[in-house]
């Protein structure tokens, strides 16, 4: 039953939630900062207590990004775990639907209700749906936590990195084993995602771009137009490399049960910020916000954002727990264990 519509980045094609038609979504922890997107309004509804649950879509991070910047839980399940029937597609081979909630237990309950095969979505999976709440409180003793050496800790705000490493240390103190793992191919995520998402998004919007281009906001129109320049050969080459990308992550999971990384390289940016300045480069804000989430859209594997602390300025920080395909149960189990031990569950932003 639809009880409300929430603000989003136009056509879900952007991570800032700066929407030229309706104005920006505003972060409840600081209204002059971004919510992240594209499911920014969904995150605000949950973070402010308007709802226990909201639904988002995630093609490059659009559930986990606003969850991290607004201080709530956001789950991107395995590709096909939740039906996409009724969702306007952005990138059909990377689109996921997922819940945004106040707690990991709520995310598990939501996934239980949402998961399963749907004849209305031929891409939905027939994989059996386990009882996600059954193992939620099993703890992390014996769980192997992998911390990637490459990519996920490069060009990350020092305060964010410090808080996330403390979260990993807390899990180790609960009985999990922590090991460094290597996933060098993660660096290919940006290029592969650009080619695949760009081509697929353009194919969805091609007619409207020709007939009514001025109806689009400038940023989305520009990104869609870039998709028109992608050759079929490049798209197919990217899809072939994507198979190797997935296999490379499968190899990583031979040595660990879940991966732990920062969800975001930065805390919530100001509404007027368009770039992030790192010691080695200046990065476009869209690239900065999606850099650490998009690899798991390419692999189609589950990834969860869990709040793990705040910056000195009071902005939320989240860390990302990623797992094997259709192993949401372990991802949720690790997230719940951390949440219960840390005391960050259900924190609300200050009243305006």
């Amino acid at each position: 039953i639809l009880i409300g519509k929430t603000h989003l980045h136009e056509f879900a094609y952007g991570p800032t939630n700066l929407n030229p038609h309706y104005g920006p979504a505003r972060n409840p922890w600081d209204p002059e900062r971004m919510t992240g997107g594209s499911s920014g309004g969904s995150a605000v509804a949950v973070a402010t207590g308007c709802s226990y649950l909201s639904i988002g879509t995630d093609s490059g991070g659009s559930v986990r990004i606003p969850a991290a910047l607004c201080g709530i839980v956001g789950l991107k399940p395995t590709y096909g775990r939740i039906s996409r029937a009724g969702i306007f597609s952005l990138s059909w081979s990377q689109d996921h639907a997922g819940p945004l909630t106040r707690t990991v237990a709520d995310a598990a309950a939501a996934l239980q209700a949402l998961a399963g095969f749907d004849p209305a979505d031929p891409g939905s999976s027939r994989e059996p749906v386990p009882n996600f709440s059954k193992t939620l409180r099993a703890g992390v003793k014996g769980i192997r936590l992998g911390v990637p050496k490459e990519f996920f800790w490069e060009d990350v705000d020092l305060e964010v990195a410090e808080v996330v490493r403390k979260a990993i240390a807390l899990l180790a103190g609960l009985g999990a084993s922590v090991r460094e793992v290597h996933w060098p191919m993660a660096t290919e995520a940006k290029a592969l995602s650009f080619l695949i998402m760009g081509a697929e998004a353009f194919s969805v919007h091609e007619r409207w771009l020709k007939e009514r281009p001025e109806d689009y906001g400038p940023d989305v129109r520009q990104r869609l137009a870039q998709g028109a320049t992608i050759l079929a050969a490049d798209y197919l080459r990217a899809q072939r490399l994507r198979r190797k990308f997935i296999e490379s992550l499968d190899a990583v999971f031979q040595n660990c049960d879940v991966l732990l990384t920062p969800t975001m390289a930065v805390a919530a940016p100001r509404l007027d910020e368009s770039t992030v300045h790192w010691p080695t480069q200046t990065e476009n804000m869209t690239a900065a916000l999606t850099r650490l989430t998009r690899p798991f859209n390419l692999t189609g594997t589950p990834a969860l954002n869990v709040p793990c602390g705040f910056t000195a300025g009071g902005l939320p920080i989240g860390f990302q727990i990623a797992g094997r395909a259709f192993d949401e149960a372990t991802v949720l189990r690790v997230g719940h264990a951390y949440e219960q031990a840390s005391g960050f569950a259900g924190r609300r932003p200050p009243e305006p």
Side-chain angles (χ1 to χ4, degrees):
I1 300 172
L2 181 67
I3 63 170
K5 296 181 179 180
T6 55
H7 192 298
L8 79 160
H9 205 114
E10 186 181 18
F11 287 109
Y13 207 1
T16 64
N17 237 132
L18 303 180
N19 189 313
H21 308 291
Y22 300 100
R26 295 182 179 271
N27 194 301
W29 297 90
D30 181 346
E32 297 307 310
R33 293 183 178 271
M34 298 177 191
T35 60
S38 63
S39 306
S42 294
V44 173
V46 173
T48 55
C50 294
S51 64
Y52 285 99
L53 162 72
S54 193
I55 302 297
T57 60
D58 192 315
S59 303
S62 292
V63 164
R64 291 158 290 155
I65 295 167
L69 298 190
C70 293
I72 62 170
V73 173
L75 172 64
K76 181 196 78 66
T78 306
Y79 183 82
R81 177 66 97 178
I82 295 177
S83 170
R84 294 166 299 159
I87 292 173
F88 192 95
S89 181
L90 170 61
S91 175
W92 68 267
S93 72
Q94 297 184 86
D95 292 341
H96 301 64
L100 296 103
T101 61
R102 300 179 194 176
T103 67
V104 176
D106 284 353
L111 182 61
Q112 197 72 53
L114 293 164
F117 176 72
D118 179 4
D121 175 13
S124 62
S125 174
R126 295 181 182 271
E127 186 78 14
V129 178
N131 184 336
F132 295 110
S133 298
K134 186 175 182 179
T135 56
L136 197 63
R137 295 167 180 82
V140 294
K141 190 173 182 179
I143 296 286
R144 300 173 300 167
L145 309 177
V147 180
K149 180 179 180 181
E150 302 89 357
F151 183 69
F152 289 95
W153 301 94
E154 298 164 7
D155 289 335
V156 172
D157 179 82
L158 294 178
E159 196 171 14
V160 170
E162 180 182 5
V163 169
V164 174
R165 290 200 182 276
K166 287 180 179 178
I168 295 170
L170 188 151
L171 283 167
L174 296 176
S177 64
V178 179
R179 58 192 63 191
E180 187 176 81
V181 296
H182 298 275
W183 188 21
M185 200 172 181
T187 58
E188 304 294 328
K190 180 179 179 180
L192 292 176
S193 180
F194 171 80
L195 291 169
I196 294 169
M197 185 178 293
E200 292 178 353
F202 173 73
S203 71
V204 172
H205 290 268
E206 183 178 10
R207 179 179 174 184
W208 287 346
L209 279 171
K210 292 176 180 177
E211 295 179 352
R212 45 194 296 191
E214 296 306 317
D215 287 348
Y216 290 94
D219 69 315
V220 171
R221 184 171 63 243
Q222 180 184 16
R223 296 185 75 187
L224 289 169
Q226 288 175 336
T229 68
I230 297 171
L231 300 176
D234 292 332
Y235 171 77
L236 294 172
R237 189 177 298 111
Q239 288 285 25
R240 286 197 296 270
L241 285 171
R242 182 182 186 181
R243 170 47 54 190
K244 293 183 179 179
F245 191 85
I246 293 169
E247 290 171 353
S248 72
L249 180 58
D250 290 342
V252 173
F253 280 127
Q254 297 298 312
N255 299 307
C256 62
D257 299 307
V258 295
L259 292 180
L260 301 183
T261 78
T263 306
M264 295 282 94
V266 293
R270 295 191 313 272
L271 294 172
D272 61 354
E273 288 184 284
S274 59
T275 57
V276 181
H277 299 287
W278 304 110
T280 59
Q281 64 164 324
T282 296
E283 188 174 28
N284 174 275
M285 186 60 70
T286 295
L289 293 178
T290 58
R291 175 159 36 94
L292 306 183
T293 55
R294 70 168 82 237
F296 303 108
N297 291 88
L298 287 165
T299 61
T301 45
L304 175 74
N305 175 76
V306 179
C308 64
F310 296 85
T311 67
L315 298 174
I317 296 171
F319 78 112
Q320 183 170 227
I321 307 168
R324 299 182 182 91
F326 297 104
D327 192 18
E328 290 90 355
T330 300
V331 169
L332 291 163
R333 175 181 165 185
V334 174
H336 181 74
Y338 172 79
E339 184 182 72
Q340 295 302 299
S342 69
F344 288 118
R347 292 253 187 126
R348 296 276 191 90
E351 294 290 333

